[in-house]
Amino acid sequence: MSKLGLKMASLVTVLVMLAGLVTGCGDTASKDIKIGVVYELTGNTASFGTSAANGAKMAFKEINAKGGVLGKQIQIVVADNKGEPSESSNAMTKVITQDKVVAVTGFTTSSNGIAGSTVAEANKIPFVAAATTNPKVTLDEKTGKAKDYTFRVCFIDPFQGTVGANFALNSLKTKKAAIMIDNSSDYSKGLSQFFKEAFTKGGGQILAEEAYLQKDQDFKTILTKIKATNPEILYVPGYYEEVGKIAKQAREMGMTMPIVGGDGWDSPKLVEIGGPQALNNTFFTNHYSVEDTSPLSKSFVENYKKEYGQMPDAMAVLGYDAAYVLVDAIKRANSTEAAKIREALAATKDFKGASGDLTLNNTHDAIKGAVILEMKDGKQVYKETVKP
């Protein structure tokens, strides 16, 4: 081949490669929108993560059936954070750097959510947490300001702890409390602190504070110490696995006082572990009740039962609402650019969710009410709603 022929051949090759790149860009532009869904699918809080992931999957399925968003279908990339902070960082890193998602929703426990938010912030990727209630999830401890890219659709523990304390003081008419704290959980430590502050401010007295760790099995030594102080109420802001065992062992020891906790109780596993009788005269603060009669809530419950063959819990509805809040922001941003989605999320106001109306405040937390649920013979019974 002549030199001219070689040059022409080289030019044609370059043009073909450029055409391929342009075509590749076109393909990329026409691809589905990738969103990460990262939850505790295995590990100690798998019941939470599975429910929330189910809620998210149902939301994205509904959105796609209605045409998706920005004229595209949503492709979800599911990852398991295994209920561990280190695995949460790994799962977030994978969906962001390898799977190239435009945003992430997920997480039901605070320690994992804090770890996940660190990765989202480092990569400047919008992250909407479902049920992580510790303030440190959205708050930068160094600056005291909201993190740029992290948001959540649930209330936070200063509110939840105060609601629990006021319920103990005013509705249960108790003045002397003991607290059992899960020392391996940011959620439990934070909620204990806020309950204690509100309870003592309201004229109550904390007689005992005892610590345990996740995956502990025998709580009788701690309960013996607590029983000796003769409290009128026991506050246990832990997760269902340990709470069920604590309630069962407390009742076996003749401790009949009311036991109160937080949203970490909300799992069908709680009754399986503790037993219906041991959980009588127990109460917990939560995000939602299936007895909510709003049209959005009723529709959600019916569709969830049809999709999964069981009643949804609060984690399911928060996973569902988190997905919708994120997609609503992408729609309002009219873009999949991270900075524009972030701006739209920050402007979320009066969003109509299945768990109620919510507005995201200047710390990126949801302003919304809490419900008090009572356990009666293994069933959750709605007691009251407390507005923020």
Side-chain angles (χ1 to χ4, degrees), residues 204-248:
Q205 183 182 359
I206 305 298
L207 302 180
E209 291 179 71
E210 296 291 339
Y212 65 92
L213 297 173
Q214 275 177 41
K215 300 182 182 176
D216 281 355
Q217 302 294 319
D218 188 347
F219 301 92
K220 290 186 176 176
T221 301
I222 293 172
L223 288 167
T224 299
K225 291 180 185 177
I226 288 171
K227 186 178 180 182
T229 67
N230 200 28
E232 297 169 338
I233 186 173
L234 177 59
Y235 187 62
V236 190
Y239 294 129
Y240 60 88
E241 187 87 27
E242 289 76 31
V243 169
K245 293 168 187 170
I246 288 167
K248 186 177 183 180

Side-chain angles (χ1 to χ4, degrees), residues 288-289 291-301 353-357:
Y288 170 78
S289 167
E291 295 178 37
D292 188 332
T293 56
S294 74
L296 266 175
S297 174
K298 286 171 73 175
S299 173
F300 164 74
V301 172
S355 63
D357 294 358

Side-chain angles (χ1 to χ4, degrees), residues 152 347-351 357-361 365-368:
R152 68 177 124 205
T348 300
K349 188 177 181 183
D350 298 327
F351 177 85
D357 294 358
L358 71 89
T359 292
L360 296 181
N361 63 15
D365 305 319
I367 303 170
K368 62 196 298 192

Side-chain angles (χ1 to χ4, degrees), residues 39 51-53 55-56 59 105-108 128-133 152-155 263 266 286-288 300 312-325 354-356 358 366 368:
Y39 279 109
S51 288
T105 183
F107 293 85
T108 61
V128 179
T132 57
T133 53
R152 68 177 124 205
V153 298
C154 56
F155 52 61
D263 60 312
D266 190 18
N286 207 7
H287 307 269
Y288 170 78
F300 164 74
D313 55 17
M315 300 299 147
V317 76
L318 290 174
Y320 182 83
D321 279 353
Y324 266 103
V325 164
S355 63
L358 71 89
K368 62 196 298 192

Side-chain angles (χ1 to χ4, degrees), residues 118-138:
T118 301
V119 178
E121 294 298 319
N123 288 277
K124 294 183 166 54
I125 290 291
F127 166 39
V128 179
T132 57
T133 53
N134 188 285
K136 290 186 282 187
V137 174
T138 56

